[in-house]
Amino acid sequence: MTIELIQDPDTCQLVFSVRAGGLLPGARAANMMSDLEAVLPIIAEAVEQGEHYYYAIDASGKWRPEQGEFNPLGHAPNVAAWGQLLKFPDLFARMEAWFGEVEKLLASRQGDGIFEHDEIHFAELTVSTFALAHRRFVPAYTRIMAQWDMDHEVNQEEVIAGLIRSHGITPETEELLYVRTVEVPGQVGEGQVIGLLDELNAHYGDFTTSPLFHRIVEAMHHGDREARLAAITEVIRRRKTNPEARLKAVHPWEPFTYGCPPELTQAAARLWAELEKAAGPLPKQA
């Protein structure tokens, strides 16, 4: 194992420097893969200790603190090192397994996320690089994205758009758009779909008639209705001891309204009304 831990006290960052050796490119790539597999438990232990803000992997092994802060996206040798690993398809199965372990590590944080840098989530550069290059890694991107703290997203909107434009509309990218819009909307949410509407309409003919659009709106309606029902139920419970308990007006959410083309807003409103009618009335508050 050729891994060096470098602490940067100025940024409270711990950098795991991978210095894979080997005379031939294939040997170096295999050694790098082995180091990546070995470093994850070390990172998990460091995260558990919580002595740093950021936990980053330098795949090039070339960064030094005197160069300034380590930005995984801004350090050219690091970016190039991940790109080199793409040249060895025989390692892809191990890479998929590694992404699975990254997902477990992130999930252990229960939504708090792990960051490599102020604007970069843990393994963001890595999984983005592989998913943009090969469709088989899009599911890994989707699952890892679901574990990031998307309230602090920076690059995801651009990367997801790139994935759609690189690979087209496939079962993998449909699932990515669903998870992105419904489960981890972050700062963009519906805006991701709006920004890709030309591509979606080109594929489906009319995106608003697609199963994906219906699935998204149905999930939004279900979540919104559950929230309204929970609020009403709580007030009903409180009135058993406080007859004056009141609930502010609870209105259904209106999806695809802000910055949307009229046809998308109208289609969402029609489907929402159908779902609301089928679900029946909520309990009365009075």
Side-chain angles (χ1 to χ4, degrees):
M1 184 171 68
T2 50
I3 301 168
E4 180 183 3
L5 275 62
I6 305 174
Q7 300 188 56
D8 185 349
D10 292 336
T11 61
C12 205
Q13 183 185 49
L14 184 60
V15 178
F16 299 80
S17 181
V18 176
R19 301 180 179 180
L23 294 176
L24 299 176
R28 287 196 297 272
N31 289 338
M32 178 180 173
M33 189 71 249
S34 296
D35 286 347
L36 291 174
E37 292 164 342
V39 80
L40 275 186
I42 302 172
I43 294 174
E45 183 178 351
V47 170
E48 182 66 24
Q49 292 173 355
E51 296 179 359
H52 300 81
Y53 290 146
Y54 309 114
Y55 304 86
I57 298 175
D58 172 22
S60 72
K62 295 181 178 179
W63 176 82
R64 290 293 178 270
E66 54 268 23
Q67 295 174 273
E69 67 174 356
F70 176 67
N71 181 335
L73 281 170
H75 186 63
N78 179 56
V79 175
W82 291 117
Q84 284 294 316
L85 202 55
L86 282 169
K87 297 179 179 180
F88 300 93
D90 57 309
L91 297 175
F92 283 2
R94 290 173 68 184
M95 202 69 212
E96 286 177 317
W98 189 79
F99 285 136
E101 293 303 311
V102 168
E103 180 188 358
K104 292 177 185 177
L105 173 59
L106 291 167
S108 71
R109 301 291 293 165
Q110 299 181 332
D112 287 343
I114 303 171
F115 290 82
E116 295 201 35
H117 180 269
D118 184 48
E119 297 183 344
I120 303 172
H121 294 78
F122 185 73
E124 181 179 339
L125 169 61
T126 315
V127 75
S128 299
T129 299
F130 276 79
L132 285 165
H134 294 280
R135 173 179 154 186
R136 69 182 285 179
F137 291 103
V138 172
Y141 183 93
T142 301
R143 292 192 298 270
I144 288 174
M145 175 190 69
Q147 301 300 332
W148 286 332
D149 177 4
M150 290 291 281
D151 287 338
H152 296 90
E153 66 171 289
V154 175
N155 309 296
Q156 281 71 16
E157 182 179 13
E158 181 180 351
V159 170
I160 293 170
L163 290 170
I164 301 300
R165 289 165 181 150
S166 295
H167 305 305
I169 307 300
T170 69
E172 295 87 352
T173 56
E174 283 187 321
E175 184 65 16
L176 169 62
L177 282 176
Y178 173 81
V179 172
R180 182 347 174 231
T181 308
V182 175
E183 297 182 7
V184 285
Q187 299 181 33
V188 176
E190 299 169 11
Q192 190 81 63
V193 169
I194 297 166
L196 291 166
L197 199 54
D198 287 344
E199 287 83 357
L200 292 167
N201 280 331
H203 177 79
Y204 296 109
D206 180 355
F207 173 58
T208 65
T209 66
S210 70
L212 176 60
F213 178 74
H214 282 240
R215 184 186 176 201
I216 288 172
V217 175
E218 286 171 4
M220 289 177 171
H221 176 266
H222 176 76
D224 178 71
R225 189 175 174 88
E226 288 294 306
R228 285 183 284 140
L229 178 59
I232 293 170
T233 302
E234 174 61 17
V235 169
I236 293 173
R237 184 192 67 79
R238 288 167 52 202
R239 282 181 182 166
K240 293 178 180 179
T241 56
N242 178 14
E244 300 302 318
R246 292 289 183 270
L247 177 69
K248 293 182 180 179
V250 179
H251 300 292
W253 181 28
E254 297 179 344
F256 293 104
T257 53
Y258 181 75
C260 280
E263 62 272 17
L264 191 60
T265 302
Q266 293 163 7
R270 286 194 299 270
L271 180 54
W272 194 279
E274 293 171 7
L275 294 167
E276 193 72 4
K277 182 178 179 180
L282 290 166
K284 294 185 179 296
Q285 300 172 42

